[in-house]
Amino acid sequence: MSHDSTAAPEAAARKLSGRRRKEIVAVLLFSGGPIFESSIPLSVFGIDRQDAGVPRYRLLVCGGEEGPLRTTGGLELTAPHGLEAISRAGTVVVPAWRSITSPPPEEALDALRRAHEEGARIVGLCTGAFVLAAAGLLDGRPATTHWMYAPTLAKRYPSVHVDPRELFVDDGDVLTSAGTAAGIDLCLHIVRTDHGNEAAGALARRLVVPPRRSGGQERYLDRSLPEEIGADPLAEVVAWALEHLHEQFDVETLAARAYMSRRTFDRRFRSLTGSAPLQWLITQRVLQAQRLLETSDYSVDEVAGRCGFRSPVALRGHFRRQLGSSPAAYRAAYRARRPQGERTTDSEPSPPPPPPSLHPEGPGPVPPQVRRTATAAAGAVGSSASLPSEHAREAYASSRASLPGQRSGS
C-alpha cells in the first residue's frame, strides 16, 4: 500500500535550479548505517540496465560526515563524494540513519534544506525519515518509517503526520518509506514516476521483486508499544484494552477509563503511540483475529465475536483492508505454509463472544480522510529534550511556508 499525496502534481511543477540535473541521484551515507538499506538506492540507481529497458540514472554516493564510514559487520566504506556533490542532484536519498535518538550532523541537514529549496526531490528510506524530520522537511506533511520507530518519530516531531501503516508515502517532493524491503518499493515507485510502468516493471524483473506490493505494514505489526509508555498514565488504559479485546468497547470507553474527554484522550494517545485511538484499536482487533485464525479452529463468526467486532461483516471488512485478504483465505494460506504437526490450537478457553446488542455501532471503517490525518501527533507527552538542530529545523520550516507542494498541517 502506498500513499500518493494530492500535493504531488503541484510539487512536480517545481523547477530544479540550473546546476541540478533530474537524472542525477545523490545517496547520502553516514557511519553506523545498516548496509542493506544503504545498498538499495545504490543498486536501483547505480547500475546501468539500459539493455533491459531501464533508463539510466547517474549516481553520486556522498558521505554525510568525515569517513571512513563504518557499517554493518564492521565494514568500512569510503564515499567518493562529499556533501558538496549534493548540489548537482535532482534527487537526494537518505537510506538510513544510525540512531533514532541522536541528531544528524548539522552540515548534512543544511545540505538537504538547500537541495529542497532548489527543487530537488528528497527521499528518506526507513530511519532516513528521522534525518528529513530533523531538517524540517517533514513538518506539516504525511510520512512513514519502520512501524517499530513510528511512535518515536511522531513523538519527537509532533508536526509530522506519521502513518505507520504505509509501505511508503509520496508527498510530491518529499518521500519516505517503511523499513528494509519497503525501500525497494519506494525506489521502484520513483522509477515508475520518472519513466512509467514499463521501465519500473523491467527493473522489478531484474531485481526479482514484485513491481507493486499490496497491503501495508499492518501485517507486520505486533502488540508492542513504545518503551516510554510504561511511565505514562495511559499505560494502564492501553493494557486494559489489550486484555479486553474480546469485549465490545469503543474509544469513548477508553477515554472514560482515563478520566479524559474524548478530544484530550485522542490527542494524548496520538502523541504517545503515533496512532489515533480508533485506528490503533481496530489494528489490535485484527491482529488478535490473525492469531486466532492461526492457532484455533474457531469459525470466522466466532473469531469476530472473540475479537470484539460487532459482526463477522465488520471483521471481514477491516481484515481485508489491513491484510489484503479475507479471514478464510488468510487461514487457508497460513495452514498451507505450515506442516500439520506444527499447528497448535488454543489450550485455554477464551472468554465467550459478547452479545451483539452491546455497542451496536461498534468501531466502523476508517474513512479515507481519517486515514490520511489520523496519525498526526499533537501535543507530545513527555517530549524528549530538544535536539541541537531543532531551532534550525523550525526556522527552515517556517521560512518555506509558502513553498508549492507543501501539505498544510490541518
Side-chain angles (χ1 to χ4, degrees), residues 69-80:
L69 308 177
R70 186 176 295 273
T71 185
T72 309
L75 297 176
E76 289 190 350
L77 305 176
T78 301

Side-chain angles (χ1 to χ4, degrees), residues 62 156 186 193 219 223-224 227 249 265 370:
C62 307
R156 177 159 295 167
L186 179 51
T193 300
R219 69 189 68 188
R223 291 168 67 135
S224 62
E227 294 180 0
F249 59 86
F265 182 78
V370 176

Side-chain angles (χ1 to χ4, degrees), residues 292-370:
L292 290 180
L293 290 168
E294 294 171 359
T295 61
S296 77
D297 291 318
Y298 295 130
S299 68
V300 173
D301 289 14
E302 289 175 314
V303 168
R306 293 174 184 273
C307 296
F309 287 103
R310 68 185 187 277
S311 70
V313 174
L315 167 61
R316 291 185 178 96
H318 289 303
F319 201 95
R320 184 174 292 279
R321 271 186 289 275
Q322 291 196 22
L323 300 176
S325 68
S326 68
Y330 177 86
R331 169 178 273 170
Y334 178 83
R335 293 185 173 180
R337 290 194 302 268
R338 299 194 64 188
Q340 185 67 23
E342 293 184 11
R343 185 167 61 85
T344 60
T345 56
D346 291 343
S347 58
E348 299 181 1
S350 300
S357 59
L358 293 177
H359 296 278
E361 293 300 324
V366 184
Q369 65 270 25
V370 176

Side-chain angles (χ1 to χ4, degrees), residues 32 124 214 281 349 369:
S214 61
L281 181 58
Q369 65 270 25

Side-chain angles (χ1 to χ4, degrees), residues 12-77:
R14 295 179 60 195
K15 292 184 178 180
L16 289 173
S17 67
R19 58 181 176 174
R20 295 183 180 274
R21 295 292 180 267
K22 183 177 180 180
E23 71 277 6
I24 297 180
V25 177
V27 177
L28 187 57
L29 299 181
F30 297 97
S31 187
I35 194 168
F36 186 91
E37 284 84 351
S38 300
S39 69
I40 289 172
L42 305 185
S43 179
V44 171
F45 302 111
I47 298 177
D48 186 355
R49 299 185 177 90
Q50 294 181 88
D51 62 323
V54 181
R56 185 175 184 179
Y57 289 88
R58 182 181 173 193
L59 181 71
L60 301 177
V61 181
C62 307
E65 55 196 339
E66 291 296 323
L69 308 177
R70 186 176 295 273
T71 185
T72 309
L75 297 176
E76 289 190 350
L77 305 176

Side-chain angles (χ1 to χ4, degrees), residues 179-258:
T180 314
I184 301 177
D185 295 315
L186 179 51
C187 289
L188 284 173
H189 171 75
I190 290 172
V191 174
R192 186 180 302 110
T193 300
D194 290 348
H195 302 291
N197 288 326
E198 188 173 343
L203 176 57
R205 287 191 293 274
R206 277 293 183 94
L207 298 175
V208 197
V209 296
R212 296 176 188 264
R213 280 198 295 165
S214 61
Q217 294 193 77
E218 295 95 336
R219 69 189 68 188
Y220 308 109
L221 297 171
D222 63 19
R223 291 168 67 135
S224 62
L225 290 166
E227 294 180 0
E228 300 95 325
I229 196 173
D232 192 276
L234 290 187
E236 183 177 345
V237 176
V238 171
W240 181 89
L242 291 173
E243 292 172 0
H244 292 79
L245 290 174
H246 59 279
E247 301 177 10
Q248 287 189 359
F249 59 86
D250 52 22
V251 177
E252 281 74 14
T253 302
L254 299 180
R257 293 189 66 88

